[in-house]
Amino acid sequence: MKLFSEFGLDSKVVRAITEMGFEESTPIQEKTIPLALEGKDLIGQAQTGTGKTAAFGIPLINRIEVTEERIVALIMCPTRELAIQVAEEIGKLGRFKGIRSLPIYGGQDIVKQIRALKKKPQIIIGTPGRLLDHINRKTIKLDHVNTVVLDEADEMLDMGFMDDIQSILQLVPSERHTMLFSATMPENIKRLAKQFLNEPEHVSVIPKQVSAPLIAQSYIEVHEKQKFEALSRLLDMESPELAIVFGRTKRRVDELSEALQKRGYSAEGLHGDLSQNQRDNVMRKFRDGSIDVLVATDVAARGLDVSGVTHVINFDLPQDPESYVHRIGRTGRAGREGAAWTFVTPREIDHLHFIERVTRHRIPRKPLPSMAEAIEGKQRVTAERVLEIVNDEGLVEFKGIAIQLLEQYDSVQLLAAALKLLTGDKKEVEIELTPEDPLRAKKRRPDVRSSGRKMPGSYVRDGQGQGGGGYRRSGDRPYSSGSGDRGRRDGGSRGGYGGRDDRGYRDGDRGGRKTDDRKPKSNSEFVNI
Ligand code: ADP
Ligand code: MG
């Protein structure tokens, strides 16, 4: 591995990298940076999470003059989330040099973007649709662009951005440095590269898993009404040492912890309405193991650091990918393994895919544990408890009665009865939880550019009847050959939830999004002036 000081970079860039906590380059960076510094066109192929942003960002920032007042670099990304992410990383990399960068994506107030553009950013990070909007309005000119990056190119083509990308690239001077990054290399990417790259060098690295290897993540598709049953089966089957169950609201946490107690689990709730004293109490019990299930809201669990949490169960899907990551990070700490289970209602599958996209981690689907599995799990735990004390000295006083019983009854029958008693019958109390509304999935909107009007928020209730055409995410799955509907963006009926493994998800590039619960980031956050 090469250290960043060994690439011959501007000291301000090296300083920024150091401040970001990067010590040595990742494989794709090690291969890409020297080539890019030479100005060679390249195709970079590496899995997500391998540091591709810095691989193109570092040489890009190294090259740009601070005195430059024109747009000299253009980075295209498939979605607003990725554009924001890349912009954040580029912003950090260019901080000490004073490089100005700006993300441009659909769903954000165009007037605001125009204002931010007046601050003369040198790097634009944009989604193709909104970029074209600005180009048509002449608020973005590409005449002086000398570096173009196509990030997540396979994804962009999957989303049907081929035409947009071509239109944009035709407006960039052909005397330029072009870099294309893609996790996969299907035919259409190769064609695109052939058309727009000049004798590119192909750089690829062997996939390597980076994301949270100690946490086994999975999701279970359940209807809202089945959730409680699913939870108790899971708890029975897995018999967690310490589990945190996340609920969306305070009411949910209250109802759920009460329901768990009624069913005989040792659980307590934690949320913001409890007094500090009550919270400390619950936490103390959880830490010392006198309760094994903590039911909490996101807010209550913030910063919660308890070692030995073996399971995180998302009873309700979190709204933000950040919350998801934060929640599951309560387990798998200090080098210990953990499991994270997420309940997803059928209408929330899209939202799950959105979370997968942003966290760049595919979450495998698991079936709901069967009743038999749950029972078996419980019995196993009881049997283990029995075996733990089988060699105990303290059994002497029980031996007399044991001998008497064995004289009268069958040994298997007897042991079974004892185990039954120890396992405890499941208390069949009726549990009724107030249902939570499903999370709204993010949708792609039909192309609104031509209509010239902005669409309202793109968080909509569910897929049925919404125009946003789904698309397949490339990921590591093979492309289905000849699927003519791939990447269409004109609506259509592919929005169903049928395909289990269809990682279709939607993006809000064109539309806005609901902003009442998430503050949109302002442009100025990213312009380093
Ligand atoms: P990709 O685009 O390949 O999916 P990113 O560029 O988003 O990956 O990088 C993934 C994460 O790794 C980011 O949080 C980034 O800051 C971090 N990262 C990138 N390069 C390095 C490095 N050399 N050392 C440590 N962390 C890095
Ligand atoms: Mg990337």
Side-chain angles (χ1 to χ4, degrees):
M1 282 301 141
K2 223 165 150 174
L3 296 173
F4 283 105
S5 51
E6 296 173 280
F7 289 106
L9 299 163
D10 186 323
S11 63
K12 286 179 182 154
V13 179
V14 178
R15 194 169 138 216
I17 298 169
T18 311
E19 291 261 320
M20 288 166 79
F22 300 0
E23 282 159 4
E24 40 187 35
S25 53
T26 65
I28 187 83
Q29 290 163 356
E30 184 175 347
K31 288 184 180 173
T32 305
I33 295 171
L35 287 170
L37 286 171
E38 282 174 32
K40 264 206 84 49
D41 277 9
L42 58 91
I43 300 172
Q45 187 182 2
Q47 290 302 111
T48 50
T50 50
K52 294 191 285 294
T53 316
F56 62 75
I58 290 169
L60 183 64
I61 282 163
N62 198 68
R63 156 121 61 107
I64 297 174
E65 302 283 344
V66 206
T67 49
E68 184 58 72
E69 299 215 319
R70 302 165 302 193
I71 298 168
V72 289
L74 177 66
I75 301 168
M76 279 187 253
C77 302
T79 65
R80 56 180 282 153
E81 285 75 24
L82 286 169
I84 290 169
Q85 243 176 60
V86 169
E88 278 174 348
E89 186 115 333
I90 295 286
K92 286 183 198 157
L93 287 168
R95 224 168 87 205
F96 294 110
K97 222 182 144 177
I99 298 301
R100 299 177 298 274
S101 53
L102 179 72
I104 288 287
Y105 48 81
Q108 196 188 32
D109 185 357
I110 200 154
V111 178
K112 216 165 154 190
Q113 290 177 348
I114 292 170
R115 214 177 301 136
L117 281 163
K118 297 220 164 88
K119 296 186 183 169
K120 307 206 179 302
Q122 296 129 337
I123 307 175
I124 297 290
I125 302 112
T127 50
R130 183 53 73 96
L131 276 173
L132 268 182
D133 268 354
H134 280 282
I135 292 165
N136 292 336
R137 287 166 181 253
K138 309 219 181 328
T139 43
I140 287 182
K141 288 200 193 73
L142 302 178
D143 310 1
H144 296 99
V145 169
N146 55 34
T147 311
V148 170
V149 178
L150 299 168
D151 194 17
E152 310 249 2
D154 51 356
E155 197 89 45
M156 287 200 282
L157 295 198
D158 264 8
M159 292 179 64
F161 281 137
M162 183 62 125
D163 291 350
D164 289 358
I165 293 171
Q166 290 189 330
S167 315
I168 294 169
L169 287 179
Q170 265 143 20
L171 298 170
V172 179
S174 55
E175 198 51 37
R176 62 158 189 258
H177 180 207
T178 312
M179 294 180 264
L180 179 154
F181 290 86
S182 189
T184 60
M185 220 30 77
E187 271 311 309
N188 55 359
I189 293 285
K190 290 185 192 149
R191 271 203 307 278
L192 183 76
K194 213 167 180 173
Q195 193 183 351
F196 290 104
L197 274 68
N198 179 22
E199 295 177 21
E201 194 95 24
H202 194 142
V203 181
S204 68
V205 292
I206 298 125
K208 197 170 133 207
Q209 176 82 22
V210 238
S211 163
L214 289 172
I215 306 171
Q217 303 173 50
S218 43
Y219 79 92
I220 299 177
E221 194 176 329
V222 282
H223 287 281
E224 179 68 22
K225 279 190 179 305
Q226 297 176 316
K227 279 184 176 179
F228 189 76
E229 184 54 36
L231 176 65
S232 30
R233 282 191 200 173
L234 256 185
L235 291 175
D236 291 347
M237 186 180 80
E238 298 268 306
S239 61
E241 272 169 52
L242 287 181
I244 303 182
V245 178
F246 282 98
R248 196 172 294 150
T249 60
K250 293 171 197 159
R251 179 189 61 199
R252 181 67 123 190
V253 166
D254 280 337
E255 291 184 358
L256 197 48
S257 48
E258 198 174 309
L260 284 168
Q261 287 163 6
K262 277 190 196 155
R263 281 279 180 97
Y265 298 98
S266 130
E268 295 225 24
L270 188 74
H271 59 64
D273 279 359
L274 301 181
S275 72
Q276 188 60 45
N277 219 346
Q278 288 171 308
R279 283 158 67 165
D280 290 349
N281 245 333
V282 173
M283 281 316 296
R284 187 182 41 70
K285 287 196 214 160
F286 189 55
R287 274 183 223 279
D288 70 22
S290 43
I291 50 169
D292 14 83
V293 183
L294 178 73
V295 187
T297 56
D298 282 310
V299 178
R302 194 149 297 157
L304 207 149
D305 186 16
V306 181
S307 59
V309 175
T310 50
H311 292 71
V312 165
I313 297 157
N314 291 313
F315 194 80
D316 300 311
L317 192 62
Q319 173 85 43
D320 298 328
E322 296 77 24
S323 303
Y324 177 82
V325 172
H326 182 266
R327 286 178 178 189
I328 69 164
R330 300 309 93 200
T331 183
R333 294 173 94 76
R336 289 162 72 173
E337 286 176 18
W341 300 76
T342 300
F343 291 168
V344 186
T345 63
R347 296 166 88 190
E348 291 175 326
I349 293 288
D350 273 4
H351 198 80
L352 178 80
H353 295 329
F354 162 68
I355 290 174
E356 285 184 303
R357 258 190 60 62
V358 178
T359 61
R360 286 166 294 172
H361 188 96
R362 187 169 176 273
I363 305 167
R365 181 173 185 268
K366 284 265 171 69
L368 176 69
S370 66
M371 192 72 103
E373 282 170 313
I375 291 168
E376 202 186 293
K378 257 186 129 171
Q379 293 176 345
R380 198 187 53 236
V381 175
T382 310
E384 278 165 11
R385 276 168 60 201
V386 168
L387 290 177
E388 264 170 36
I389 52 169
V390 103
N391 293 321
D392 240 37
E393 302 289 307
L395 293 180
V396 179
E397 50 189 295
F398 292 92
K399 285 192 175 165
I401 182 99
I403 291 165
Q404 276 181 34
L405 287 170
L406 279 167
E407 278 166 2
Q408 293 170 48
Y409 299 93
D410 172 59
S411 58
V412 173
Q413 190 76 7
L414 261 183
L415 187 57
L419 286 171
K420 180 175 182 212
L421 192 67
L422 276 170
T423 307
D425 284 331
K426 195 159 180 175
K427 296 186 195 151
E428 284 309 330
V429 264
E430 262 313 300
I431 300 294
E432 186 83 47
L433 300 178
T434 314
E436 289 283 325
D437 285 340
L439 275 184
R440 296 148 181 208
K442 291 172 57 89
K443 300 297 178 196
R444 263 180 78 66
R445 284 281 178 177
D447 198 338
V448 293
R449 191 162 16 99
S450 46
S451 72
R453 76 194 156 86
K454 272 200 296 294
M455 298 296 277
S458 65
Y459 266 110
V460 291
R461 218 174 171 72
D462 71 19
Q464 277 69 35
Q466 276 296 332
Y471 66 95
R472 295 184 73 86
R473 182 168 184 223
S474 55
D476 39 19
R477 282 160 308 283
Y479 282 74
S480 55
S481 54
S483 63
D485 61 352
R486 257 209 292 135
R488 59 197 250 186
R489 42 210 271 230
D490 54 347
S493 57
R494 271 199 82 245
Y497 300 111
R500 271 293 101 71
D501 219 4
D502 181 347
R503 317 311 282 179
Y505 66 96
R506 283 135 193 206
D507 153 65
D509 179 29
R510 295 297 161 72
R513 80 157 124 182
K514 212 180 82 173
T515 51
D516 54 352
D517 52 357
R518 301 185 70 189
K519 217 167 80 243
K521 306 213 170 175
S522 75
N523 290 324
S524 53
E525 275 178 54
F526 299 108
V527 183
N528 304 305
I529 296 179

